[in-house]
Amino acid sequence: MKHEKQNRELFKTNIGMLLACVGSAMGLANIWMFPARLEEFGGISFLLPYLFFLFGFSCFGLMGEYAFGRKMRNGPVAAFESVITEKIKKPPLILKSIGWFPVAALVCILSFYAVIIGWILRYLALALMNGFQNLDSSAFFSSFAGTPANIPWNLAAIGITAIIVSFGIQKGIERFTTVMMATFYIVVTIIVIRALTLPNALEGVKVLLAPKWEAFAHIRIWVYALGMAFFTLSLGGAAMLVYGSYMPDHTDVPRAARQTAWLDFLASIMCSLFTIPAAFALGLDRTAGTALLFITVPHIVTQLPLGYFFGILFFLCALFAALTSSIVMLEVPVEAMLSKMRIGRKTAALIVAVIAACIGVPLNFDMNLFGTFTDTVAIIMFPLAAVIAAAVIFWIYGAERILKDINQSAKRKIGHWYAPYMKYTFVPVCFLVVIAGIFLGGL
Ligand code: PHE
């Protein structure tokens, strides 16, 4: 289906649209950050603030991004520019071009994400060759990550992403993300059943969920829960806005946003129900983050019956989760270039791929550089992009106007409370996330 006004390609089916959006939301944060935070802050005591922010804040922000994208039928660059020039007669160039900032933030995220997808691809190849047997995964990981050995895998990750994006919305993004996401949920279900039927695994679940109520008193738990609720829904003023711009007019935006948030949450819970309980049952180290995925998981699978298959399945899922996110990260700058330059989609995808490679390849030489880069982008650039987008949508375009757009084809309409809530609570809270993230040194 093409959009009448601009000949813009739109999503073809509801399920394809939903799975593309869920694919953008569901990513590495779900696989390794969420289980780690659950364990660190005491499952339930992290889960409650997280759920509160996910459904009480981010989900409403997501409705705004979807509806704004759909209304403008443009990505952030052209959409912000037209909203700003509508309000201010001759805006300074920096203000007029502010939409490039969220796009730049995503290009930076893509650059480091593709480095990690490179690691996943390498591990998947290792799993296929039955290479986890007798592997010292810790030594292997440090001999590989942060070294030029990852460069070919890194480039392969960018290449795969660019090829999918170059096929366009329906034949590329929608088709591939549908297959990847459907496979992800089916396979993760199988993996979770395997993990939870290990002797002692339920003890691991109890440990995972055991509340540490005193954690509530720490500001960190609130900031982390809020930061993650934003990052996991890809709420940085670009990705979901661009997907919103491909939504047909009859899409029920509040419903689509709620479904995205629920499926994203489900994925996080499922990923937590594999790694931590399995590591617990097998008496393995449950250190958070990269170590959990690249050091503990290979250990887990070698100890499982049919471990060969579970190793392949797990890294396949991780690959699909990450790729469906890298796809939107590459699509956003492609969309921006198509809206501003007279070039074709394939050329644009190639240009973005080259830029992501130029930024990403040097990150393979030094893990400290990699860490500093990812922190700067995730802690400062991404939340800043979210604030800018929120201010443009709810303050400049107007919260009342966006509420109308949100409710356009909605069965259960959002009430009038939405406009003041977003203007006076959501936008200032986004701003607080930036400040708190900088001071706490992490989100
Ligand atoms: N939501 C993704 C994750 O959880 C990250 C992401 C951010 C994806 C921005 C797209 C855009 O890993």
Side-chain angles (χ1 to χ4, degrees), residues 31-32 34-40 195-196 200-201 203-209 270-289 292 296-297 300:
I31 298 187
W32 81 45
F34 186 80
R37 293 274 188 256
L38 273 193
E39 206 184 9
E40 186 182 350
L196 292 184
N200 247 348
E203 277 307 302
V205 177
K206 268 193 214 150
V207 172
L208 177 71
L209 293 180
M270 287 167 92
C271 293
S272 315
L273 288 179
F274 169 64
T275 36
I276 306 272
F280 185 89
L282 300 169
L284 295 169
D285 183 16
R286 306 195 297 275
T287 322
L292 194 64
T296 310
V297 169
I300 296 178

Side-chain angles (χ1 to χ4, degrees), residues 24-30 106 109 113 231-235 239 264 325 328-329 382:
S24 159
M26 229 286 299
L28 292 168
N30 305 61
L106 268 200
I109 299 184
Y113 229 77
F231 189 79
T232 194
L233 286 191
S234 313
L235 214 60
D264 179 69
S325 291
V328 69
M329 292 170 194
F382 184 76

Side-chain angles (χ1 to χ4, degrees), residues 337 343-352:
M337 289 168 78
I343 51 172
R345 171 169 279 277
K346 287 192 173 56
T347 316
L350 181 68
I351 295 174
V352 180

